[in-house]
Amino acid sequence: MIKIKACIFDLDGVIVDTAKYHYLAWKRLANELGFDFSENDNEQLKGVSRMTSLDILLEIGDLTFSQEEKLELADKKNQWYVEYISKMTPDEILPGVVDFINNLRDNNINIALASASKNAATILKQIDMADYFDVIIDGTKVTEAKPNPEVFLKSANELGVEPKYCVVFEDAVAGIQAAINAEMHNVGIGTHQILTKSDYVISSFEDFNFDTLRKYFIK
Ligand code: BG6
Ligand code: MG
């Protein structure tokens, strides 16, 4: 059996469904720039950094801007996004998340949050979950975006746990690839169709616990 010493959680799409707020803000920007942005298009933005998301959006709209203009556009989108997340409450924590993390704690597992978002602190404060994590590495602490493994390696390093003893929980294709690049185990939150490279895929944390997790990794 693989020894599991740490669990590392992505935030957006794993702990909370903030993808809908990112979508609303990007759509508002697209509409202001004169084109539409569908929920299907939004799939491409999951797990991707803010500036790369903007590049994908502008490609969809077939628009080109200078670097300075792009920074202004990204800032505008972020102000709208912050407006939305500032109204979040603990009711928006996804089902089963708190019970699962408490269950990990009871089993002496180290717990980290590893997110690409520069807004992670705001979200954690709104949902009252900052104290659940031993280590928090967010978009303000990394320079490389997923699928680069930096955010996960930094988390493991701060926890003092070797990558081979870590399990990453991710909803994004880029995030699963980052976990693989970090040589960590992973569990995808979503569907097999999208998360084709995941070790295991679950649809939610409901009825999921440490025992179930350990059974997955008996090899
Ligand atoms: C990731 C999201 O967690 O954070 C992406 O999945 C987002 O959609 C990225 O673009 C950066 O977030 P932020 O809050 O710094 O713009
Ligand atoms: Mg995510």
Side-chain angles (χ1 to χ4, degrees):
M1 188 186 290
I2 292 164
K3 196 156 173 47
I4 299 167
K5 295 186 182 174
C7 286
I8 305 180
F9 293 84
D10 173 46
L11 175 65
D12 296 317
V14 171
I15 307 278
V16 280
D17 178 20
T18 32
K20 63 183 178 210
Y21 299 124
H22 279 296
Y23 172 61
L24 283 176
W26 284 126
K27 187 179 162 67
R28 197 162 155 183
L29 185 68
N31 292 164
E32 211 180 86
L33 293 171
F35 65 97
D36 205 19
F37 177 59
S38 71
E39 254 182 281
N40 197 31
D41 292 332
N42 191 52
E43 282 300 313
Q44 296 177 56
L45 272 50
K46 287 188 181 170
V48 171
S49 73
R50 193 181 305 170
M51 290 313 285
T52 309
S53 297
L54 177 65
D55 284 336
I56 297 170
L57 186 91
L58 294 178
E59 208 177 304
I60 292 167
D62 202 15
L63 293 172
T64 319
F65 288 97
S66 70
Q67 190 56 23
E68 202 187 327
E69 288 167 330
K70 284 207 284 188
L71 287 170
E72 273 172 33
L73 292 173
D75 196 47
K76 195 172 204 179
K77 177 266 171 179
N78 190 56
Q79 283 179 29
W80 289 326
Y81 178 67
V82 169
E83 254 175 54
Y84 300 135
I85 61 170
S86 300
K87 295 186 189 111
M88 285 179 82
T89 68
D91 288 348
E92 289 180 66
I93 300 169
L94 288 169
V97 167
V98 170
D99 284 347
F100 178 54
I101 293 183
N102 282 333
N103 180 236
L104 291 175
R105 289 213 162 286
D106 293 343
N107 285 278
N108 298 316
I109 299 299
N110 293 288
I111 299 162
L113 184 95
S115 169
S117 174
K118 291 188 165 78
N119 294 299
T122 306
I123 296 169
L124 289 176
K125 183 171 163 277
Q126 287 302 124
I127 62 171
D128 207 9
M129 274 200 74
D131 293 343
Y132 283 77
F133 303 96
D134 301 306
V135 159
I136 295 174
I137 306 291
D138 63 18
T140 65
K141 293 187 178 163
V142 292
T143 52
E144 303 298 329
K146 298 169 188 175
N148 186 290
E150 184 187 9
V151 72
F152 295 137
L153 292 174
K154 269 202 169 163
S155 301
N157 190 42
E158 275 204 26
L159 287 173
V161 176
E162 282 180 68
K164 65 179 177 190
Y165 299 126
C166 297
V167 181
V168 167
F169 293 87
E170 257 292 347
D171 70 310
V173 173
I176 294 291
Q177 189 57 53
I180 294 169
N181 293 344
E183 298 189 7
M184 295 178 180
H185 308 288
N186 69 73
V187 173
I189 317 298
T191 65
H192 286 284
Q193 283 86 344
I194 292 179
L195 304 172
T196 52
K197 287 192 177 177
S198 283
D199 291 340
Y200 295 95
V201 179
I202 56 176
S203 57
S204 91
F205 287 104
E206 264 177 311
D207 304 320
F208 189 73
N209 59 36
F210 185 55
D211 263 354
T212 324
L213 179 67
R214 275 168 58 199
K215 281 180 196 142
Y216 281 174
F217 289 102
I218 294 174
K219 287 206 175 136

